[in-house]
């Protein structure tokens, strides 16, 4: 089985929001809700100022706190290591929302259940997924793939750029950032 993850290169991101829009459309998420958030960060002092866009979303943690607190098992990790929500089992208790250190869960206002990034496993045809956020990224700031395959694009990019999880050892995140 694969162990899917994603690399987000903040040096390449231009803040066009194409990934966010593609995600919203594919998952039929309302325009006022998103599984992908952008945070503009500035560092340095004039005239040596740097600006970057940091995209955050579900980190698909191997030790996902949201899964551990779910009383019904609606939040779970599939065989490929993707953290998913079975909305038919979700009771809307919001424990997972509170437990997620990345603030990556949202509540569907109509159904009252939790939702989040699923790497588009439900929107693809069942083959190896290519998330819509990666597919639409015009600068190729996102790379998705099998973290256990040393020949995959993501594995090579993690080594090349010395990419690291956003919050260090907070969780065993499968998202790596180039900053």
């Amino acid at each position: 089985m694969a162990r899917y993850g994603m690399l987000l290169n903040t040096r390449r991101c231009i803040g066009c929001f194409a990934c966010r829009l593609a995600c919203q459309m594919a998952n039929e998420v309302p325009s006022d809700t998103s599984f992908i958030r952008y945070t503009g960060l500035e560092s340095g002092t004039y005239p040596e100022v740097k600006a970057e866009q940091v995209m955050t979303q579900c980190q698909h943690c191997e030790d996902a706190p949201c899964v551990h607190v779910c009383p019904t098992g609606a939040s779970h990790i599939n065989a490929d290591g993707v953290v998913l929500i079975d909305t038919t089992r979700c009771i809307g208790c919001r424990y997972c929302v509170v437990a997620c250190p990345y603030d990556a869960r949202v509540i569907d206002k109509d159904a009252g259940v939790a939702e989040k990034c699923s790497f588009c496993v439900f929107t693809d045809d069942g083959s190896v997924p290519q998330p819509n956020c990666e597919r639409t990224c015009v600068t190729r700031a996102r790379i998705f793939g099998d973290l256990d395959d040393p020949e995959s694009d993501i594995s090579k990019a993690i080594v090349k750029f010395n990419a690291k999880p956003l919050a260090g050892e907070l969780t065993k995140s499968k998202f790596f950032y180039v900053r």
Side-chain angles (χ1 to χ4, degrees):
M1 291 263 103
R3 189 171 62 98
Y4 292 119
M6 186 171 283
L7 178 135
L8 303 172
N9 189 336
T10 63
R11 295 178 193 167
R12 295 184 112 175
C13 178
I14 58 172
C16 70
F17 294 88
C19 60
R20 181 177 169 163
L21 184 58
C23 175
Q24 287 173 303
M25 292 177 65
N27 292 290
E28 298 177 3
V29 177
S31 61
D32 64 343
T33 304
S34 180
F35 298 159
I36 301 172
R37 287 187 331 275
Y38 283 79
T39 303
L41 299 177
E42 294 179 10
S43 61
T45 55
Y46 179 80
E48 302 292 325
V49 177
K50 288 183 178 180
E52 69 177 326
Q53 291 291 327
V54 178
M55 303 85 58
T56 57
Q57 62 192 79
C58 176
Q59 304 288 298
H60 293 277
C61 309
E62 291 181 30
D63 57 346
C66 57
V67 171
H68 298 302
V69 300
C70 182
T72 65
S75 289
H76 62 282
I77 301 173
N78 77 1
D80 291 326
V82 179
V83 178
L84 298 173
I85 302 171
D86 179 347
T87 57
T88 64
R89 295 178 70 183
C90 180
I91 58 173
C93 68
R94 297 188 168 122
Y95 289 172
C96 63
V97 174
V98 174
C100 177
Y102 302 100
D103 195 25
R105 301 239 172 168
V106 297
I107 298 295
D108 179 307
K109 293 177 182 115
D110 296 326
V113 297
E115 294 184 317
K116 57 171 249 4
C117 165
S118 66
F119 279 150
C120 293
V121 295
F122 296 119
T123 57
D124 277 341
D125 61 5
S127 60
V128 174
Q130 182 186 20
N132 290 300
C133 58
E134 180 198 32
R135 187 178 299 138
T136 59
C137 183
V138 296
T139 62
R140 194 154 158 72
R142 292 174 171 266
I143 302 173
F144 175 80
D146 184 357
L147 296 168
D148 288 338
D149 177 2
E151 296 303 313
S152 68
D153 289 345
I154 187 171
S155 293
K156 290 177 181 177
I158 289 169
V159 171
K160 177 181 178 182
F161 295 112
N162 193 29
K164 304 283 186 210
L166 184 64
E169 300 298 319
L170 178 64
T171 63
K172 293 181 182 171
S173 169
K174 290 193 289 286
F175 266 65
F176 295 83
Y177 288 79
V178 177
R179 298 186 65 199

